[in-house]
Structures are given as C-alpha cells and as structure tokens.
Amino acid sequence: MSVEVTWPKYAWLNGKIVEWDNAKVHVFVHGLHYGTGVFEGIRGYYDNGYIKIFRLRDHILRLFRSAKIIHMEIPYTIDELVEATINLVKANRFGKDIYIRPIAFRGLGSFGLRAKNPVDVAIIAVEFGKYLKKSGIRCTISSWRKPPADSIPIYAKVTGMYLLYHLASLEAAMNGYDEAIMLDVEGYIAEGSGENIFIVKDRKLITPPVYDGILEGITRDTVIKLASEMLGLRVEERRIRREELYTADEAFFTGTAAEITPIIEVDGRTIGRGQIGEVTSQIIELYNMTVLGKIEKYRHWVTELTSSPP
Ligand SMILES: Cc1ncc(COP(=O)(O)O)c(C=O)c1O
C-alpha cells in the first residue's frame, strides 16, 4: 500500500523541533547509501481532544535493540526519545489519527562500508488513516523469500532490510493483490511485507515463532496477550505450512500500520467463508478498545496527550 500524507508543521531532528521544510540531511549520509538505519512505526489515535500513543516506550525500546544489533550507538537515552516524541506530537496539534516514525541512521563522516559515522536521529509524525482494507484483503505468496537468520538481522528493524519488503509489496500490487505473504527459505509462512501473520484453527491461534526469522511485532505481542488473557484462547507459536494457511478457518495480519487486517483470500483460495471470521472480529474489537486505553488492564500501554487542532 502507498499512503498519501499531508505534511505536518514540525519534525524533530537531532535534538530539536524544526519546521517541516528544515528537517533535512546531506545526500552523502551513510544511511542513504548503505541502508544503515533503524526505525520504528508507532500509532497515535485521536479520541475526543486526546492523542493516545500506543506502546510508545516498547517501540523506542525495540529501536534501541535494533541499533545494538547493528553496532549503532543512538546519541540519546530511551527517556529522551520518548519525551521528544511526546513534545513533537503536542507541537503539531493533530486532530486525527497519526503515525510516528522515529529513525536513527549513520550520517556524514567518512566513506565506505566499515565507516561508523555519527548517528543522526529524526522523528516524524503525520496524520494517517487506515493502511489496509478492514473488510479483508486478498494476498499472494511472494516470489521474494525471507533470508535465513545468518544472512541479515531480520529481528532488527533495519532500513536496508526494507528493500525486500518493498519488492514483495510492489510485486503483489502489480499482480492485483492487496498484500504479499513471504515464505522463509524452507518454505514456511514467515510474514507480510509489514505485518506478522496469524491463522485460526478450531478457535486456536497459530503464528510463526520469532526465532524463525520474523520481526517481533508489538501488535503480535498485543494480540497474543489479548487472545490468551482476555478471550481465553490457546495461542501456539510454531511453523505454519502454506497448505495450513490455505485451509485455515480464519487468517489475519497484525502490525502497527495494518492493525488487525483479515485475510480473506490467498492465491485464489478463499480463507474460511471469505469474510471476517468470528475470532478475528473478537480480536479486532478488543484491539480497538485497547489502543484507546479503554481496557483497564492494558491502560499502561497508552500515552495520553491533550491535542487541540488549531
Ligand atoms: C516486516 C514487518 N513485520 C511485522 C511488522 C509488525 O510489527 P509491529 O506490530 O511492531 O508494528 C512490521 C511493522 O513494523 C514489519 O515491518
């Protein structure tokens, strides 16, 4: 999916809130040439004069884990980036749902693959609606495979890695599908181009394990907790063969941008009844309440800021 966005008034760059047009770096930054960056995608929901940011600290923690994996020192603390995000969102006075993109990348310095250039950090927040169709999407198994765990750090959310997801997503769109599903090198279901995947079989949730080379999604973790703690469903983390996906009762994607997106068709095979399944709709309902802080048990996941659009 490509998403149209309206530019906001401010961005945050290297410690300061700056006018949107001044949020610039040089064309010679290392991250641009070699994909040496780590980033996050976070959602904030506008609700009656408040922006509610979902699992902000968990996303910033993952940003730091990703950085550590690629030998990158982010020149701020976790608390500083949490606070910077809050200040940027407040400054922009959003009146709609938003998407927040913190990014840290190697900047200007020397040239070459082993250069450990100083790290630039930016935070961008834009108004952002739905990403994938909530009524259910048609998917295709991508010809692009997830690489094995010893070829690139799949567990880290690294900018260079997203060339693969870009190609998979583009290929799906060019072939008339809404989204791609990637297999791992052994042919098991891995994930979407920007989503983790779940199937439902006899009211049990099944999702690929993290150590099998997928991103440890924060929405995935949210769904596992909601399903087991609130709905009393069994959740199994194990490999999934593509035939199991084709014959599942229900299937859905999870992701910050995608939220919970039902999958209703894969390569011409209808999944379940070809509409949002019963378990999926229960999870969607719970998820929508959780992100707005309406479930006491998970309120600590929500950072609530007052926001009055100008
Ligand atoms: C490749 C990939 N898998 C899964 C996800 C879902 O992760 P999360 O739920 O933390 O947004 C994302 C999005 O960040 C992603 O890019």
Side-chain angles (χ1 to χ4, degrees), residues 39-42 59 62 99 101 146 154 156-157 161-162 165 182 190-197 214-222 254-259 287:
F39 70 105
E40 274 303 317
I42 310 169
H59 280 281
R62 187 170 65 184
Y99 186 80
R101 163 61 50 84
K146 293 299 301 264
I154 299 165
K157 202 165 161 63
M161 183 72 203
Y162 278 72
Y165 305 146
M182 278 176 289
E191 59 188 334
S193 70
E195 306 87 16
N196 294 114
I197 191 166
I214 57 165
L215 187 76
E216 189 170 18
I218 289 169
T219 321
R220 175 186 182 277
D221 174 71
T222 304
T254 63
T256 297
E259 302 167 297
Y287 185 78

Side-chain angles (χ1 to χ4, degrees), residues 186-246:
E186 292 178 59
Y188 292 93
I189 303 289
E191 59 188 334
S193 70
E195 306 87 16
N196 294 114
I197 191 166
F198 285 75
I199 63 169
V200 182
K201 255 180 147 179
D202 301 326
R203 289 190 64 81
K204 181 173 67 185
L205 296 191
I206 310 170
T207 192
V210 166
Y211 54 77
D212 259 8
I214 57 165
L215 187 76
E216 189 170 18
I218 289 169
T219 321
R220 175 186 182 277
D221 174 71
T222 304
V223 164
I224 290 174
K225 292 199 167 89
L226 294 180
S228 55
E229 295 170 10
M230 301 295 288
L231 296 174
L233 298 175
R234 271 200 298 148
V235 183
E236 225 171 82
E237 293 179 63
R238 66 155 172 87
R239 288 181 151 178
I240 301 172
R241 297 171 66 96
R242 65 199 278 180
E243 304 92 292
E244 275 189 293
L245 169 63
Y246 293 151

Side-chain angles (χ1 to χ4, degrees), residues 1 132-133 136-140 169 172-173 176-180 264:
M1 282 284 290
L132 294 170
K133 269 185 284 176
I137 58 166
R138 297 173 54 249
C139 296
T140 182
S169 175
Y177 293 93
D178 298 308
E179 180 55 309
I264 55 172

